[in-house]
Amino acid sequence: MPIIIKTRREIEMMRRAGQVGCEILARMREAVAPGVTTGALNELARIELEKVGGVGLSKNYPTYKEGEGFPAESCISVNEEVVHGIPSNRQLKDGDVVTLDLALKVGGFCADTATTVAVGEIDPKVQRLLDVTKETLALAINNVKPGRKWSDIARLMQYHVESNGFSVVREFVGHGIGRSMHEDPKVANFVTAEQLRGDFKLRPGMTLAVEPMVVMGTREVKMLEDNWTVVTADGRQAAHFEHTVAVTEVGADILTDGRAPWGI
């Protein structure tokens, strides 16, 4: 499928969804504390989405039929859970790390954003994992320029992670986004022969969800019996940060940083 180039108005519509996502993620992050359940965090997201007429795009994914697919509005993954953790009555504990991942649609346009949060006091090595993952996202965004191949940016991301002693998960990548949560292209955080076959040049009007997923130890992951939750094979911690960005004539415009749209 061709990469869909967005108009200025479409990008601002996506920014509105991104603004909502940023605000909800901030409320979820503020609610993170020992004793709080992941289900309660998801309920907060559900209520906030309902207030603005937004839709959590994880709910009932991928068919979007009632009672099918993923059972919650957000994905909440704890410690060794990399992605797609199912909110439940699990209570957070001091020393945990929890990833809050929210894809949403508002007014017909989508945004996708994620952050990993410390619960109370965490091990300094785990804090370094969070810092490096966040730095990797910033590194990618700061290197977005029209005409640049994505593989050049993916290589920088992989090098930053691995030079700090961590590993990049390869089973999951970022993606194009717009009227649908998942559009072409695939937006990798690493470089392989397969990734290079799907390489692309950045053009103004592209909108991408950039989302490095980084782990403490081996990059291998496995699926739990719920057929959703993906965990590290060695049981060590994972981190995940994500922004939705638009490529402009001069660089990247972050659509999930909380700024209000203009001109719509």
Side-chain angles (χ1 to χ4, degrees), residues 25-239:
L25 213 62
R27 290 189 176 95
M28 294 172 75
R29 188 167 57 237
E30 289 165 5
V32 166
V36 172
T37 67
T38 58
L41 295 173
N42 182 73
E43 180 65 5
L44 189 159
R46 187 194 67 77
I47 291 169
E48 294 300 320
L49 282 164
E50 197 173 77
K51 286 179 183 176
V52 297
V55 176
L57 294 172
S58 294
K59 181 74 170 180
N60 303 131
Y61 178 86
T63 65
Y64 294 114
K65 292 180 180 177
E66 192 65 35
E68 293 184 1
F70 193 81
E73 286 74 13
S74 64
C75 299
I76 302 182
S77 307
V78 183
N79 294 335
E80 76 281 1
E81 297 173 354
V82 182
V83 285
H84 306 155
I86 298 174
S88 68
N89 60 4
R90 176 178 183 169
Q91 291 187 337
L92 298 175
K93 305 188 308 293
D94 192 68
D96 285 344
V97 291
V98 56
T99 294
L100 311 169
D101 185 2
L102 180 64
L104 69 159
K105 180 178 279 191
V106 177
F109 288 87
C110 304
D112 202 350
T113 184
T115 187
T116 302
V117 182
V119 184
E121 293 292 321
I122 64 170
D123 185 297
K125 292 179 182 176
V126 180
Q127 182 62 56
R128 184 64 186 145
L129 170 71
L130 270 59
D131 293 343
V132 167
T133 309
K134 192 172 185 178
E135 290 164 9
T136 303
L137 176 58
L139 177 69
I141 293 170
N142 289 339
N143 278 277
V144 166
K145 297 286 188 301
R148 180 166 287 176
K149 290 182 178 179
W150 184 260
S151 60
D152 293 340
I153 297 173
R155 189 173 284 108
L156 291 172
M157 297 171 78
Q158 183 177 356
Y159 178 78
H160 186 66
V161 170
E162 293 177 353
S163 65
N164 278 281
F166 301 120
S167 301
V168 181
V169 171
R170 297 192 184 181
E171 282 73 11
F172 300 92
V173 296
H175 48 90
I177 184 170
R179 289 183 181 272
S180 299
M181 175 168 58
H182 292 133
E183 298 180 351
D184 284 335
K186 293 181 178 178
V187 182
N189 310 306
F190 52 86
V191 178
T192 62
E194 180 185 5
Q195 187 273 333
L196 288 171
R197 284 194 292 273
D199 204 6
F200 61 95
K201 282 188 176 181
L202 293 167
R203 293 167 54 199
M206 286 182 177
T207 46
L208 309 172
V210 184
E211 50 177 329
M213 301 172 197
V214 180
V215 295
M216 291 280 287
T218 176
R219 67 175 178 82
E220 278 73 30
V221 298
K222 61 184 181 181
M223 180 87 72
L224 295 187
E225 289 181 0
D226 63 20
N227 288 321
W228 284 109
T229 310
V230 176
V231 300
T232 57
D234 59 8
R236 300 184 74 186
Q237 289 91 340

